[in-house]
Amino acid sequence: RSTRHRTLFPYTTLFRSALHISTQFDAGAIEVVSLSDPRHIELKIRPDNASEFAQWFHFALHGAKGQPVTLRFLNAGACAYPKGWEGYQVVASHDRQSWFRIDTTFDGTVMTAQATPAGDCMYFAYFEPYSHELHLDLLASAAQSPHVTQERLGSTLDGRDMALLRITDVSGGLPLAERKRVWVIARQHPGETMAEWFIEGFLERLLDTDDAVSRVLLQRSVFYVVPNMNPDGAVRGNLRTNAAGANLNREWAAPTMERSPEVFLVRQKMLATGVDLCLDVHGDEALPYNFVVGSEGNPGYTPQVAALEDAFKNAWMANCPDFQDQYNYGRSEPGTANPTLATNWIAQQFGCLALTIEMPFKDNAQLPDAATGWSGARSKRLGASVLQPLLAVF
Ligand code: ZN
């Protein structure tokens, strides 16, 4: 019987790849424990290259077309943010362009997901990836605008460029010295890829010459944009840290070129330009909402900054239902701010409004999308929408 079966379907066996998982590509990350049974594929989420943080994964599964597979992430409960797996859905794609969600179960230790690949190769990730090639495309595309100058601030530890985009309308508007200096930085935590999707949407709208909001902002402000604060960690598939294991958003009080050149170089440039407003874009593993975190725990937090912060949040809520101010980390008590965070250091140093923007890895529970969850496309729209509150506060 088995002989006749092989004779009847020779091509099936000739052309089917063996079951295999690969990670040797940009941000690839997973450890394979067992591939012997496709109904019990056993995986381990591996930590960042030089730190204990483990949460990011991104891999390709080969040779399982039309075959139901079960992926068991054995160490999910021991990862950096176990609450991140509650109500979480894995991100997956067949064409690496459109990413969809797959339900999971989490028993406190193991996270389990089931899929039946429609093709010979299927990709899985913690969130929709944003590759270094896309990052370079984003910089090159923005640099085509006459409003944009691209500055190389220096090198990362792995020798990548720290790139800054300076954006303003030099053909008309306020005298340069009177323009607001707006800094927008993203992806200090490299696994928070939604942050660079946010920047892509922000830049597309800011450079849209038919958009009245952008035109006015470019005549009144100079934007300094760092689309990726942590390119080494991004390529390495790290969740939180750079090549040396530094959590960049804990380096702002005293960065060094040896441990955190990314922060050192950007901070040095900020001290040279000055800052009137700063947005630092992130993703949150656990909370299914978009929200901001201010600097109210700083000794230098004033009623003026508080009023500006309220105006910013109210204008954003009025213009974008994906943003809300009900669910967040709660307010810090006065004097309890951690000065090593970008937002706190910047707000204190420059006496300005500085906000950490958090987007969900899961979904916006107030406006969920069962097919995609929170996604690259939705992050882009949120990034475009933040121009409205900027206009409101200026
Ligand atoms: Zn973050």
Side-chain angles (χ1 to χ4, degrees):
R1 185 187 170 107
S2 64
T3 306
R4 188 168 64 208
H5 186 80
R6 277 204 298 274
T7 317
L8 280 171
F9 304 102
Y11 299 113
T12 310
T13 46
L14 269 177
F15 291 112
R16 173 175 285 171
S17 319
L19 204 60
H20 180 78
I21 282 178
S22 53
T23 57
Q24 289 303 316
F25 44 78
D26 192 300
I30 200 74
E31 279 174 20
V32 177
V33 176
S34 171
L35 261 181
S36 57
D37 181 353
R39 291 161 303 173
H40 296 280
I41 294 174
E42 297 190 330
L43 307 167
K44 264 188 160 172
I45 298 171
R46 61 100 174 110
D48 290 6
N49 72 289
S51 92
E52 295 294 303
F53 287 108
Q55 195 97 5
W56 174 263
F57 59 86
H58 182 198
F59 58 88
L61 173 66
H62 298 264
K65 182 178 182 178
Q67 187 172 5
V69 297
T70 300
L71 305 170
R72 290 168 48 78
F73 298 81
L74 299 182
N75 65 334
C79 283
Y81 303 97
K83 282 202 175 308
W85 309 126
E86 294 171 7
Y88 171 73
Q89 298 168 296
V90 171
V91 177
S93 178
H94 288 105
D95 60 6
R96 292 165 47 87
Q97 302 297 316
S98 59
W99 295 81
F100 53 92
R101 295 278 183 161
I102 296 171
D103 286 341
T104 69
T105 56
F106 177 54
D107 63 10
T109 305
V110 178
M111 177 179 71
T112 305
Q114 289 169 326
T116 303
D120 297 308
C121 177
M122 184 170 178
Y123 285 82
F124 299 88
Y126 183 35
F127 193 81
E128 186 170 341
Y130 199 101
S131 71
H132 193 62
E133 289 299 315
L134 275 182
H135 166 70
L136 297 178
D137 287 348
L138 178 65
L139 293 172
S141 160
Q144 302 312 306
S145 163
H147 301 317
V148 176
T149 51
Q150 184 178 342
E151 186 177 345
R152 185 181 176 281
L153 298 175
S155 297
T156 65
L157 296 172
D158 286 342
R160 294 194 176 85
D161 302 326
M162 282 305 294
L164 170 71
L165 299 172
R166 179 183 178 277
I167 310 171
T168 197
D169 183 352
V170 288
S171 69
L174 292 177
L176 270 181
E178 291 173 27
R179 297 188 186 195
K180 299 290 185 192
R181 297 150 296 177
V182 181
W183 276 79
V184 186
I185 65 175
R187 245 183 137 179
Q188 290 200 77
H189 298 142
E192 294 162 10
T193 53
M194 61 285 282
E196 196 158 7
W197 288 112
F198 179 103
I199 295 289
E200 186 174 309
F202 173 84
L203 288 174
E204 276 181 10
R205 184 173 179 196
L206 188 63
L207 298 174
D208 179 352
T209 52
D210 295 324
D211 193 296
V213 172
S214 301
R215 292 181 62 196
V216 169
L217 281 172
L218 287 176
Q219 294 191 345
R220 295 181 189 171
S221 338
V222 183
F223 289 87
Y224 297 91
V225 182
V226 183
N228 188 348
M229 284 289 298
N230 197 339
D232 292 351
V235 173
R236 285 170 176 270
N238 286 355
L239 176 79
R240 268 262 324 162
T241 59
N242 72 355
N247 175 354
L248 296 184
N249 205 24
R250 300 293 183 274
E251 292 285 314
W252 285 75
T256 64
M257 282 303 285
E258 290 70 36
R259 177 173 163 79
S260 46
E262 302 90 345
V263 174
F264 185 94
L265 293 165
V266 169
R267 202 183 85 137
Q268 177 175 263
K269 186 71 182 181
M270 284 180 174
L271 290 167
T273 65
V275 182
D276 294 308
L277 191 150
C278 183
L279 304 174
D280 178 19
V281 191
H282 287 255
D284 185 88
E285 289 78 6
L287 287 179
Y289 303 99
N290 293 296
F291 58 99
V292 292
V293 187
S295 62
E296 70 279 356
N298 272 355
Y301 192 72
T302 61
Q304 288 77 14
V305 173
L308 207 56
E309 182 176 332
D310 284 340
F312 186 96
K313 288 192 285 196
N314 288 333
W316 204 0
M317 279 187 283
N319 285 287
C320 182
D322 261 331
F323 177 72
Q324 57 82 50
D325 192 35
Q326 184 183 357
Y327 300 97
N328 50 42
Y329 296 153
R331 292 181 73 79
S332 298
E333 292 299 316
T336 63
N338 180 344
T340 67
L341 270 67
T343 288
N344 290 339
W345 182 84
I346 292 162
Q348 184 68 24
Q349 175 70 29
F350 300 101
C352 69
L353 176 61
L355 295 169
T356 307
I357 295 174
E358 296 282 356
M359 284 173 281
F361 273 92
K362 296 171 182 172
D363 202 347
N364 171 9
Q366 293 179 331
L367 207 53
D369 183 323
T372 66
W374 191 251
S375 65
R378 296 177 74 190
S379 305
K380 284 183 67 172
R381 297 300 174 95
L382 191 72
S385 77
V386 84
L387 292 175
Q388 215 81 39
L390 285 173
L391 184 70
V393 296
F394 289 160

